Amino acid sequence: MESVINTAHEIHFGELAKAALQQYLNQNQYSKIFLLVDENTNKHCLGPFSKIYTDQTERPIVIKTGEINKTISTCVDVWDALSNLGGDRKSILLNLGGGVVTDLGGFVASTFKRGIDFINVPTTLLAMVDASVGGKTGVDLGVLKNQVGVINQPKMVLIFPEFLETLEERQLKSGYAEMLKHGLIADKHYWNKLVQLNESDYKSHIQESILIKNGVVEQDPTEQGVRKKLNFGHTLGHAIESYFLEHPDKKTLLHGEAIAIGMILEGYLSHQLTGMSRIELEEIKKVFLNNYDKVSFTQEDINIIIDLLKHDKKNSHGNINFVLLEEIGSAITDVKVPFNLFKEAFAYYIE
Amino acid sequence: MESVINTAHEIHFGELAKAALQQYLNQNQYSKIFLLVDENTNKHCLGPFSKIYTDQTERPIVIKTGEINKTISTCVDVWDALSNLGGDRKSILLNLGGGVVTDLGGFVASTFKRGIDFINVPTTLLAMVDASVGGKTGVDLGVLKNQVGVINQPKMVLIFPEFLETLEERQLKSGYAEMLKHGLIADKHYWNKLVQLNESDYKSHIQESILIKNGVVEQDPTEQGVRKKLNFGHTLGHAIESYFLEHPDKKTLLHGEAIAIGMILEGYLSHQLTGMSRIELEEIKKVFLNNYDKVSFTQEDINIIIDLLKHDKKNSHGNINFVLLEEIGSAITDVKVPFNLFKEAFAYYIE
């Protein structure tokens, strides 16, 4: 697959990725090469890196798996490890894992000794199509997602589609939700293609999703305007995700599962406020419910989730701004939504 | 005093500063204005801000005083406070205090929701002449100073020289050490002026020090080359400061007191390695020992401090690079120093 070169960094695929990494490390004289992994990627994903081990390469720094560990406390462990292993300002960090590893590792690198270089090697479909481009790094603060972070680009992103073969179906579906979002906000034709895919076909569309996201991010790296479109489904989706994360008696929701719900809810808002047709709304609901089990919400759940919204980082001046759809393939930003519509949207999801 | 406008931010003095702040806040519609203070500045320095209190202004967020609190744990408290008080991406943080408050507050702002604006209002001479320009933010990691941070410019720096009137002599002297450094690395004429000053005259030279630092930083914001000159005295000075901070049985050293020692030691290295004359070395030692009490070091202290050096963030590839003087007023960077000279340098200080 062809490499994607944007202004900030390069994205390489498969065998080309291995060669590009080797060449990059040869050209740049890093004092040390650090590898950040979680318990899973430490076991299953080190293969492609066996050849890059050199005298400069330290043994992997391992963090615990899961969103619950995407915390400042884990950052302190990794900063300490880098420091104790003799990391200096000319070191580089390779983040090998899903979004938790790339988000947290990117933040740790961006702040260690006021910033060292890093490379992202996403191992999940979600991280490949979403976390791999855009430069958003960060960790959660209590239940509030991504409250602490910076925007900083990796030097390079490496995509090895073979990693997907070890992923569970649920993990694949989680990434698929972000791909569907790319169609919804930017390209109806892509949406129409995606909704007909089997799981085994997802990987041949990674590059198309990356190109859509990349196009948006390059226009607006710091999310002043058009980049906000990528947040479709995420305002309500994040609140739902945070709430389920905080309540261990609830089923754990993967990110894609949460934003799938968010996209149905915000699809409903789009029908009410920005002119999306009932037919397209029903189509969106049907596609997501065909792919993701319906989740139960009590009235109390819904009330608490709506309260959580006021902490969402996309708020400003106390208003809640949403990205909504005019139609499938076309999104608009900064739409203010009356509070009473949130309950209606949940009612539409539940019915 | 005239305002200094550099590419990244504006620096205003005294009455002009109050007007500039008011105008800036009027022009920029921040959703909330947060004030970060420590216990001291909360008591003594809120005066100039009485007029900027508006509906957007929250009550001050107070952190404990002292370098020992310049930690990630304090950052978590401030991130939580911002979050709980409804801070959003259009909020601004005013850091009112010494270097601990401006360094930590700058880091917290740079990372809260991936970055909000901040303004620095330094209240110590040290922070005015040093922390106020350059955009270095960060906190300590255990005993290692400034291991975690980013480089990010405040929107504005406000200098109120009246704050100096409440400072103890020891605090004033601590800032004076950085001013002397500016003379040593860049301007012999300025050094000659400074060494004849009384404490009451320091404040009329703040702007001259800021202009020297600003000139260096603008040439090299991310410290790839010439900016390293500002680290004169800091490689050994930081190691000494960290060591004394970690050992409560030792006298606490202020930053300026530690780098004053560092400048004598690195002055010795300059005489040995980069051609500075014995006469100038003796002059440097005399000026610093006239202003700062001589500190005792045992052989064990010295050995541990030299070990600490290998963690200094200015190291790269395991070498220790120093900024040394060719003569007073002229510094060169990236000088490698043989280990055995460190003990000689301490011996010269002690003798």
Side-chain angles (χ1 to χ4, degrees), chain B residues 66-82:
Chain B
E67 180 80 21
I68 197 105
N69 298 303
K70 192 175 145 185
T71 59
I72 286 291
S73 160
T74 305
C75 292
V76 171
D77 292 342
V78 183
W79 284 317
D80 278 338
L82 290 173

Side-chain angles (χ1 to χ4, degrees), chain B residues 93-314:
Chain B
L93 181 66
L94 273 64
N95 300 313
L96 177 64
V100 171
V101 172
T102 57
D103 284 7
L104 183 147
F107 178 63
V108 165
S110 300
T111 53
F112 181 65
K113 296 180 188 254
R114 300 205 182 95
I116 63 171
D117 288 348
F118 65 103
I119 287 175
N120 281 345
V121 189
T123 58
T124 63
L125 183 61
L126 180 66
M128 289 177 191
V129 298
D130 190 35
S132 70
V133 265
K136 284 194 179 179
T137 75
V139 296
D140 305 335
L141 195 65
V143 298
L144 301 172
K145 282 179 65 71
N146 301 321
Q147 287 281 295
V148 174
V150 295
I151 292 186
N152 189 27
Q153 302 293 342
K155 288 291 165 186
M156 193 178 262
V157 176
L158 307 176
I159 310 266
F160 299 102
E162 70 233 49
F163 287 147
L164 300 183
E165 282 151 33
T166 64
L167 279 190
E168 290 170 22
E169 183 188 332
R170 218 182 137 196
Q171 291 284 350
L172 277 178
K173 289 278 185 194
S174 180
Y176 179 54
E178 288 284 358
M179 296 170 81
L180 287 167
K181 183 197 75 181
H182 293 142
L184 286 176
I185 63 166
D187 189 338
K188 180 161 187 173
H189 176 68
Y190 184 48
W191 162 267
N192 287 337
K193 259 198 304 188
L194 285 175
V195 299
Q196 296 167 40
L197 295 185
N198 295 321
E199 280 128 49
S200 58
D201 300 324
Y202 294 169
K203 67 169 178 280
S204 50
H205 293 75
I206 294 170
Q207 191 169 25
E208 201 162 350
S209 265
I210 287 177
L211 284 170
I212 290 176
K213 180 162 183 189
N214 208 33
V216 173
V217 169
E218 287 210 317
Q219 288 175 62
D220 175 24
T222 58
E223 199 171 302
Q224 303 304 306
V226 67
R227 181 168 180 171
K228 293 180 188 168
K229 289 185 182 179
L230 293 166
N231 294 323
F232 178 66
H234 281 62
T235 307
L236 281 155
H238 267 169
I240 292 167
E241 192 178 359
S242 294
Y243 178 71
F244 276 68
L245 189 66
E246 203 197 8
H247 290 80
D249 54 316
K250 296 277 177 194
K251 177 184 168 185
T252 307
L253 281 185
L254 297 178
H255 178 70
E257 292 166 345
I259 65 153
I261 302 168
M263 286 190 273
I264 296 174
L265 299 173
E266 296 181 18
Y268 178 84
L269 301 176
S270 302
H271 173 57
Q272 295 296 323
L273 296 172
T274 52
M276 188 172 73
S277 70
R278 186 85 196 180
I279 292 171
E280 290 198 331
L281 172 60
E282 296 288 344
E283 181 184 338
I284 291 170
K285 183 174 178 183
K286 190 171 147 229
V287 166
F288 285 115
L289 289 183
N290 279 346
N291 282 283
Y292 307 90
D293 293 341
K294 195 185 265 195
V295 173
S296 308
F297 292 93
T298 65
Q299 273 311 315
E300 197 199 343
D301 294 336
I302 293 168
N303 291 338
I304 298 174
I305 289 164
I306 292 173
D307 276 350
L308 268 174
L309 272 182
K310 70 169 181 278
H311 280 293
D312 188 277
K313 67 188 174 306
K314 284 170 289 297

Side-chain angles (χ1 to χ4, degrees), chain A residues 1 3 10-28 48-52 119 156-160 162:
Chain A
M1 214 175 286
S3 300
E10 302 175 2
I11 305 168
H12 298 282
F13 297 82
E15 283 304 315
L16 275 182
K18 285 183 209 174
L21 174 63
Q22 191 68 65
Q23 190 184 10
Y24 180 82
L25 293 176
N26 289 345
Q27 280 171 353
N28 293 274
F49 299 95
S50 56
K51 287 184 194 160
I52 67 147
I119 286 175
M156 193 177 261
V157 176
L158 308 176
I159 310 266
F160 298 102
E162 71 236 47

Side-chain angles (χ1 to χ4, degrees), chain A residues 94-153:
Chain A
L94 274 63
N95 300 312
L96 178 63
V100 172
V101 172
T102 58
D103 284 7
L104 183 146
F107 178 64
V108 165
S110 300
T111 53
F112 181 65
K113 295 180 188 256
R114 300 205 181 92
I116 64 171
D117 288 347
F118 65 103
I119 286 175
N120 281 345
V121 190
T123 57
T124 63
L125 182 61
L126 180 65
M128 289 177 190
V129 298
D130 189 36
S132 71
V133 264
K136 283 193 178 179
T137 75
V139 295
D140 305 335
L141 195 65
V143 296
L144 300 172
K145 282 181 62 74
N146 301 321
Q147 287 280 294
V148 174
V150 295
I151 291 187
N152 189 25
Q153 303 291 343

Side-chain angles (χ1 to χ4, degrees), chain B residues 269 273 320 322 335-343:
Chain B
L269 301 176
L273 296 172
I320 302 186
F322 278 80
V335 183
K336 295 193 195 348
V337 175
F339 267 77
N340 63 316
L341 281 186
F342 297 146
K343 290 201 177 184

